Amino acid sequence: MKTQVGIIGGGPSGLLLSQILHLQGIESVVLERQSRDYVLGRIRAGVLEQGTVEMLRDAHVGDRMDREGLVHDGFHMAFGGQIKRIDLEGLTGGKTVMVYGQTEVTRDLYDARDQIGGVVIDEADDVTPHDIDTDSPYLTFHREGNAERLGCDFIAACDGFHGVGRQSMPKDVLKIYERVYPFGWLGVLSETRPVDEELIYANHERGFALCSMRSPKLSRYYVQCALDEDLNEWSDDRFWEELKLRLPEDAAARLETGPSIEKSIAPLRSFVAEPMSHGRMFLAGDAAHIVPPTGAKGLNLAASDVYYLSRALIEQYKTGDESRLRDYSKTALSRVWKAERFSWSMTMLMHKFPDQGEFGAKMQQAELDYLTSSSAAMTAMAENYVGLPF
Ligand code: FAS
Ligand code: PHB
């Protein structure tokens, strides 16, 4: 097999890159390790920055998002018995975010690829990049037990944190930066009316909690939990009781509970791999970086990587100018690190740390009190939350 861009990974990064290139007449093949059902069964991100929304519309995959997504022009921060609103739209001159699940984004992308004849090979095993520092890199993989080879001009490793792309970069080239947090998020999806029309981020002495949603009838909740929590110890009743304890009284009183249709624990880490390219292989999305979900940046960073990489590949194919490809890593990392900083700072502000002590708790309350009483501080929060410019 031969194509122009070989893409490892059929998550949001790989599918969006493939779709954007296709619309510019550039061929690609996506090699996805899992089955389509498995990929679509993962419950992940929920909030799309304005830049991501515009990219999806430009890639002709925004129609259902615009019909079913929820435009949010603010969110709430609860702490010390108070609840304060961050007026995203008012503080950023009209910018908002879209609440629309990553699962739906991925479904829309798969449908779009199928509709225009995109090549996505599911259940591709042992995908392996070769000769990435030559002019003719290629990928090998197994499909239904048969060995296959995909020749390409460039390889995009969109294969997530556990992917093969980053692992294939020379060890003496790669520099890793990492911070693992001493807690995780226990998440629940339930077919209940969301507790509020907007998201609530809660700092509480028992730990962080987040009230989010997927639709007016589908709620997504999280509570901070210990890293070694046993999911079997968390009945729905225990989850709902713990969530209520961490929310302001009126929110807890109106919380509609019900059976969980998904329950999982996600670890939290900050992670960046530099550089994001080597030879003719380019890393995009979780393959290159991970953020704690506190700032709702993970999926959105994947989108901005794809924005920069697709623009660079299109320029190379249209004009032969490789300068944007050469600058891809530096350009993408500039935005990645700012999102890493925001996600880290939100995580430090909102969670209970085992070693923070009473002084640390007081610092968090003082910062939250200052943040929500200063338009300058809220403006900084708002412009990061809606997404810094691409
Ligand atoms: P993905 O991991 O989504 O996709 C990579 C794809 O590559 C996968 O389908 C995988 O099967 C495939 N793959 C891996 N190795 C392969 C190989 N060797 N060969 C072929 N294919 C391979 N972000 C938020 O903004 N908010 C959240 O609340 C949030 N919650 C999250 C919860 C969890 C448990 C996780 C893991 C992530 C969460 N994220 C969240 C971040 C998440 O949304 C990612 O940023 C997003 O999935 C990034 O998309 P991709 O880069 O496409 O990576
Ligand atoms: C979600 O809805 O899953 C979600 C929303 C905001 C976050 C993290 C997760 O910061």
Side-chain angles (χ1 to χ4, degrees):
M1 289 168 70
K2 180 84 174 75
T3 189
Q4 289 175 296
V5 182
I7 299 174
I8 314 173
S13 299
L15 293 169
L16 182 56
L17 177 64
S18 176
Q19 176 74 359
I20 293 171
L21 293 177
H22 193 136
L23 295 173
Q24 294 292 326
I26 298 167
E27 282 177 13
S28 65
V29 171
V30 176
L31 300 177
E32 166 55 48
R33 175 164 65 182
Q34 305 289 357
S35 70
R36 196 160 291 197
D37 286 348
Y38 183 93
V39 174
L40 292 172
R42 293 187 299 227
I43 307 294
R44 286 190 173 167
V47 172
L48 305 180
E49 293 174 355
Q50 191 138 331
T52 305
V53 168
E54 284 155 15
M55 275 186 76
L56 293 171
R57 288 175 182 147
D58 291 347
H60 305 177
V61 289
D63 290 351
R64 190 163 73 99
M65 172 189 68
D66 284 326
R67 284 199 310 273
E68 299 177 13
L70 304 170
V71 176
H72 279 209
D73 52 22
F75 67 88
H76 299 274
M77 299 187 84
F79 62 96
Q82 315 175 57
I83 187 161
K84 294 281 185 75
R85 184 170 187 269
I86 306 292
D87 174 14
L88 295 175
E89 190 168 32
L91 292 163
T92 62
K95 290 187 179 176
T96 58
V97 293
M98 175 80 79
V99 171
Y100 187 66
Q102 173 176 326
T103 309
E104 306 319 313
V105 172
T106 309
R107 193 189 314 279
D108 294 341
L109 282 164
Y110 266 124
D111 291 348
R113 301 305 300 124
D114 292 347
Q115 272 159 23
I116 60 176
V119 182
V120 179
I121 298 175
D122 300 313
E123 299 178 285
D125 292 323
D126 315 316
V127 177
T128 308
H130 301 273
D131 293 354
I132 59 177
D133 43 12
T134 71
D135 288 349
S136 46
Y138 63 96
L139 293 164
T140 55
F141 63 100
H142 285 90
R143 176 171 36 172
E144 292 160 3
N146 302 317
E148 306 235 11
R149 175 185 166 124
L150 174 68
C152 42
D153 302 329
F154 301 99
I155 293 172
C158 301
D159 47 356
F161 182 63
H162 302 289
V164 67
R166 188 181 68 246
Q167 323 286 348
S168 308
M169 288 174 67
K171 295 291 172 274
D172 59 345
V173 164
L174 213 52
K175 173 98 177 97
I176 302 293
Y177 301 85
E178 186 166 29
R179 163 76 52 95
V180 178
Y181 297 92
F183 41 74
W185 279 17
L186 168 55
V188 155
L189 194 64
S190 62
E191 288 170 335
T192 54
R193 180 178 39 78
V195 72
D196 196 291
E197 286 184 351
E198 294 181 324
L199 273 62
I200 301 175
Y201 288 80
N203 169 296
H204 190 273
E205 61 189 10
R206 296 177 67 89
F208 170 76
L210 170 60
C211 302
S212 183
M213 64 200 74
R214 292 292 178 272
S215 77
K217 295 195 176 78
L218 194 57
S219 298
R220 179 70 168 161
Y221 294 108
Y222 299 94
V223 295
Q224 173 186 346
C225 66
L227 269 178
D228 57 359
E229 280 296 347
D230 177 354
L231 208 50
N232 299 318
E233 300 289 310
W234 281 86
S235 67
D236 288 355
D237 288 347
R238 181 184 174 194
F239 179 85
W240 295 122
E241 283 322 300
E242 188 57 40
L243 179 61
K244 283 179 185 173
L245 289 171
R246 301 186 188 188
L247 294 180
E249 273 178 31
D250 60 338
R254 67 172 185 268
L255 180 71
E256 182 183 330
T257 64
S260 60
I261 57 174
E262 191 271 353
K263 193 185 290 175
S264 55
I265 293 177
L268 270 65
R269 81 176 71 237
S270 298
F271 175 94
V272 179
E274 289 190 356
M276 287 176 54
S277 66
H278 181 72
R280 289 194 164 214
M281 185 173 75
F282 300 83
L283 307 183
D286 277 17
H289 42 71
I290 296 287
V291 285
T294 326
K297 292 293 157 226
L299 177 56
N300 295 296
L301 266 186
S304 52
D305 289 350
V306 167
Y307 171 81
Y308 297 127
L309 182 55
S310 59
R311 188 180 62 170
L313 287 165
I314 292 163
E315 181 159 276
Q316 199 284 332
Y317 278 111
K318 301 273 190 207
T319 69
D321 178 353
E322 294 207 355
S323 57
R324 284 194 198 272
L325 277 176
R326 272 197 309 276
D327 294 343
Y328 164 71
S329 177
K330 179 165 158 283
T331 308
L333 282 168
S334 167
R335 191 172 192 274
V336 163
W337 277 112
K338 289 192 274 277
E340 289 282 347
R341 183 211 64 80
F342 176 69
S343 304
W344 165 81
S345 67
M346 275 279 271
T347 302
M348 298 304 288
L349 179 61
M350 299 305 289
H351 291 77
K352 180 175 182 179
F353 284 75
D355 58 354
Q356 78 183 32
E358 290 177 343
F359 180 78
K362 280 291 187 186
M363 287 297 97
Q364 282 187 343
Q365 294 307 307
E367 185 169 347
L368 283 160
D369 204 8
Y370 164 66
L371 165 66
T372 55
S373 54
S374 156
S375 60
M378 281 190 283
T379 301
M381 161 72 75
E383 70 177 10
N384 278 280
Y385 196 87
V386 299
L388 298 179
F390 282 11

